Amino acid sequence: MKFFDKILIANRGEIAIRVMRACRELDIETVAIYSSADTNSLHVKYADEAFPVGEAHPSKSYLNIERIIDIAKKSGAEAVHPGYGFLAENYRFAKICQDEGVIFIGPRSKTIQAMGSKIDSKKMMKDAGVPVLPGTDDGVRDIEDAKKVAFEIGYPVIVKASAGGGGIGMQIVNDEPALEEAITASMRIAKSAFGDATVFIEKYLVKPRHIEFQVLADEHGHAVHLYDRECSIQRRHQKLVEEAPSPIMTPELRERMSSAALKVAEASAYSNAGSVEFLYSNDNFYFMEMNTRLQVEHTITEFITGIDLVRQQIAIAAGESLPFDQSDISIRGHAIECRINAEDPFNNFSADPGKISRYRSPGGPGIRVDSGIHMGYMIPPNYDSMIAKLCAWDSTRIEAIKRMRRAISEYIILGVQTTLPLHYAIMNSPQFIEGNTHTHFLQEEHIIKTLERYKRDEEARMQTLAGSFGQGKKVAAITAAVNVYLQHQKE
Ligand code: ADP
């Protein structure tokens, strides 16, 4: 079924290619846009047509609404897919698309606007009977009021930007004397990052799990969930490893959480793909926010459900009804995603853009790699540091972990520092293997110790890698992979 003739992808990198892949399978022509930093990027080559959109800085290219609409019209694209990031959660962009007669592949502008405010969406969900964390109902206006609320809910509390995203502007406050300064800092950061200084306070959970539900809703009032993902392994409140389903999920908890997720979709008259994020602690869960777009980690949901989320997004935007009911959707096996960032995990995750001098991606059964990089590619310093997503699927969680270790051992990325060694440490950590994760997992002693072992020098790291893998044939296999790696390292 052909839903559109031509779609413009208002994004770059791996997610632009991911959307184009769905389009190619649907016989839909694709239009890429690219900044001056992306002239040689893969998404430009993959598309049927490509248009320059401006200078490297996102505000002058991937966020230039007027220019993007102009290109959509000029190229004859009937719809725009925003990917994630950039304009994906910009309600003005969705509205302008609509006004200009270009279909925005995502929820309605009004829904994006309502969910874009953490304060308003929390209020809406509280009214709909979805559990939320205690805190201020509105933005903080008066420091004495804020102190009163914080005292009532009890420290620690977290100060968050209402318009926030990417973990930016969050401040954890352990006691009253630190509150005022945290609020001021959070307001300042929120103002400069989001143009809106509104902040609020909520109870801070010390070691919660981040569990989210994927939902899909069509424009005719049908909504389903596509089960859960756990995204507790984070650095700076940003996800690094995700898995589906959550290792702690039980039928009873899933029933409770998925009903809440569908209630969120219903209360917001949702359409298209979205994710409902919860924090989980001591058998309780709390609505945190809804992301009104495709998530980075949609890949693992695709693995366990067999449903192509981008294809569904396009079909929904074309006015199609969902082709399945809740009872048609089941899950099979377990999937894990490791975000490969060009960052130095040994140096506080500082970004490490540059040229990729050697590149070989893994393959084989149950492996999926989504990336926009290749040998010789120059990673521009202007954008997010995520360069690839490595996903592994297998019939059980432990087998998926082992498959992920195998894939990491095959993955060669030289020329820049990446998070690959850290992922190897995580996949070998007994706590992770037990499913014992929480949002402060990476700050725990055991991971730091494993990382320090890796840090000594590259060769010792590789030996550790081989040694920690196990015995016999596995060691031989990984040692061979390590030797290839070291060989390239010397060249
Ligand atoms: P953003 O929109 O900036 O990504 P979120 O509200 O989605 O922010 O939260 C991101 C992460 O921050 C969560 O996954 C969690 O690790 C942490 N976090 C947010 N709120 C709380 C809270 N009340 N208690 C503990 N951790 C929190």
Side-chain angles (χ1 to χ4, degrees):
M1 173 91 138
K2 192 164 175 166
F3 303 111
F4 296 102
D5 288 320
K6 203 186 257 189
I7 291 178
L8 181 145
I9 294 92
N11 216 301
R12 64 179 298 281
E14 71 85 18
I15 194 60
I17 295 171
R18 164 68 190 95
V19 175
M20 288 176 198
R21 282 178 164 149
C23 291
R24 192 172 284 182
E25 289 167 13
L26 292 166
D27 297 318
I28 297 171
E29 282 183 44
T30 51
V31 181
I33 54 168
Y34 61 96
S35 72
S36 56
D38 275 330
T39 321
N40 291 315
S41 289
L42 218 49
H43 79 277
V44 181
K45 294 174 187 157
Y46 198 103
D48 296 304
E49 288 168 64
F51 293 85
V53 71
E55 291 169 34
H57 195 278
S59 65
K60 301 210 159 129
S61 48
Y62 298 107
L63 295 173
N64 185 341
I65 295 179
E66 210 174 291
R67 176 103 181 94
I68 293 170
I69 298 281
D70 211 41
I71 296 171
K73 285 184 161 174
K74 194 161 78 180
S75 64
E78 304 143 88
V80 171
H81 194 300
Y84 53 73
F86 296 127
L87 295 170
E89 287 176 293
N90 185 316
Y91 73 91
R92 283 185 210 96
F93 180 59
K95 176 82 172 62
I96 293 170
C97 283
Q98 195 191 347
D99 293 346
E100 296 288 333
V102 180
I103 292 175
F104 177 81
I105 303 177
R108 295 174 195 94
S109 170
K110 277 211 166 81
T111 315
I112 302 176
Q113 184 175 14
M115 289 299 183
S117 156
K118 287 190 207 283
I119 291 177
D120 291 350
S121 63
K122 238 182 111 172
K123 235 187 256 171
M124 191 181 358
M125 293 316 140
K126 198 174 165 186
D127 292 346
V130 176
V132 297
L133 280 166
T136 47
D137 287 334
D138 291 298
V140 173
R141 265 187 228 103
D142 179 276
I143 187 72
E144 290 311 314
D145 278 353
K147 280 183 185 165
K148 224 182 276 166
V149 174
F151 179 78
E152 272 164 30
I153 60 179
Y155 288 90
V157 298
I158 184 168
V159 184
K160 284 166 118 175
S162 183
I168 298 166
M170 288 182 189
Q171 306 277 332
I172 298 151
V173 184
N174 288 314
D175 47 29
E176 193 172 296
L179 188 63
E180 187 163 359
E181 202 180 313
I183 290 173
T184 316
S186 183
M187 280 179 157
R188 184 175 21 85
I189 299 169
K191 178 80 189 147
S192 89
F194 314 111
D196 175 358
T198 315
V199 302
F200 66 104
I201 293 175
E202 71 181 15
K203 177 77 190 156
Y204 181 71
L205 300 174
V206 177
K207 284 186 179 177
R209 285 171 172 266
H210 174 123
I211 299 176
E212 60 189 28
F213 275 74
Q214 176 70 54
V215 299
L216 267 183
D218 64 22
E219 289 167 0
H220 313 284
H222 311 127
V224 292
H225 75 83
L226 275 71
Y227 294 83
D228 40 290
R229 295 186 286 255
E230 168 135 8
C231 317
S232 295
I233 299 188
Q234 310 177 343
R235 59 117 181 72
R236 290 190 215 115
H237 302 302
Q238 282 182 301
K239 302 158 186 169
L240 206 59
V241 176
E242 299 101 335
E243 57 182 309
S246 163
I248 57 151
M249 200 48 70
T250 60
E252 181 268 332
L253 180 62
R254 184 172 280 140
E255 178 54 39
R256 282 197 286 147
M257 292 186 82
S258 63
S259 320
L262 287 173
K263 224 186 246 180
V264 172
E266 197 186 321
S268 58
Y270 205 80
S271 67
N272 219 282
S275 298
V276 185
E277 298 191 332
F278 298 103
L279 285 180
Y280 171 92
S281 178
N282 294 327
D283 203 35
N284 289 312
F285 63 89
Y286 310 91
F287 169 79
M288 201 166 32
E289 65 168 350
M290 180 166 200
N291 286 318
T292 53
R293 56 172 163 84
L294 189 68
Q295 300 267 89
V296 170
E297 61 273 22
H298 74 279
T299 49
I300 51 176
T301 297
E302 293 187 324
F303 252 148
I304 62 164
T305 60
I307 292 170
D308 184 319
L309 280 162
V310 179
R311 193 184 297 172
Q312 294 306 325
Q313 282 194 294
I314 294 172
I316 291 168
E320 295 291 316
S321 296
L322 283 178
F324 35 65
D325 291 325
Q326 192 65 56
S327 60
D328 299 320
I329 308 165
S330 55
I331 50 172
R332 207 176 133 246
H334 198 92
I336 304 171
E337 172 176 271
C338 289
R339 297 192 190 195
I340 318 296
N341 300 343
E343 285 173 4
D344 186 354
F346 312 127
N347 184 18
N348 201 25
F349 295 97
S350 59
D352 190 29
K355 189 173 173 175
I356 295 179
S357 56
R358 281 277 181 284
Y359 186 77
R360 191 174 190 284
S361 60
I367 295 300
R368 168 174 174 175
V369 180
D370 286 48
S371 87
I373 57 168
H374 51 83
M375 193 144 105
Y377 177 71
M378 184 66 101
I379 304 166
N382 318 78
Y383 310 111
D384 191 84
S385 59
M386 193 181 74
I387 51 171
K389 306 190 307 204
L390 174 59
C391 301
W393 174 91
D394 211 327
S395 32
T396 62
R397 185 170 184 271
I398 188 66
E399 285 166 314
I401 293 173
K402 288 181 177 177
R403 192 164 262 177
M404 181 60 92
R405 288 184 201 151
R406 186 268 292 170
I408 294 172
S409 79
E410 290 174 9
Y411 212 158
I412 295 171
I413 305 176
L414 299 183
V416 295
Q417 299 284 342
T418 74
T419 45
L420 273 172
L422 172 63
H423 287 304
Y424 203 84
I426 296 168
M427 293 302 131
N428 281 286
S429 134
Q431 282 83 346
F432 178 76
I433 293 164
E434 280 166 21
N436 186 10
T437 60
H438 51 80
T439 56
H440 290 276
F441 182 83
L442 287 185
Q443 280 97 56
E444 299 259 292
E445 196 62 1
H446 57 94
I447 279 288
I448 292 168
K449 280 213 176 98
T450 320
L451 271 173
E452 276 167 0
R453 280 210 328 259
Y454 283 129
K455 198 175 171 178
R456 265 169 234 147
D457 64 53
E458 200 62 6
E459 195 151 0
R461 172 163 80 82
M462 283 309 167
Q463 276 160 9
T464 314
L465 220 140
S468 63
F469 197 76
Q471 299 299 314
K473 275 186 194 155
K474 280 186 212 150
V475 173
I478 197 158
T479 309
V482 167
N483 283 340
V484 172
Y485 191 105
L486 291 175
Q487 185 60 35
H488 285 306
Q489 199 85 356
K490 286 193 198 98
E491 281 170 15

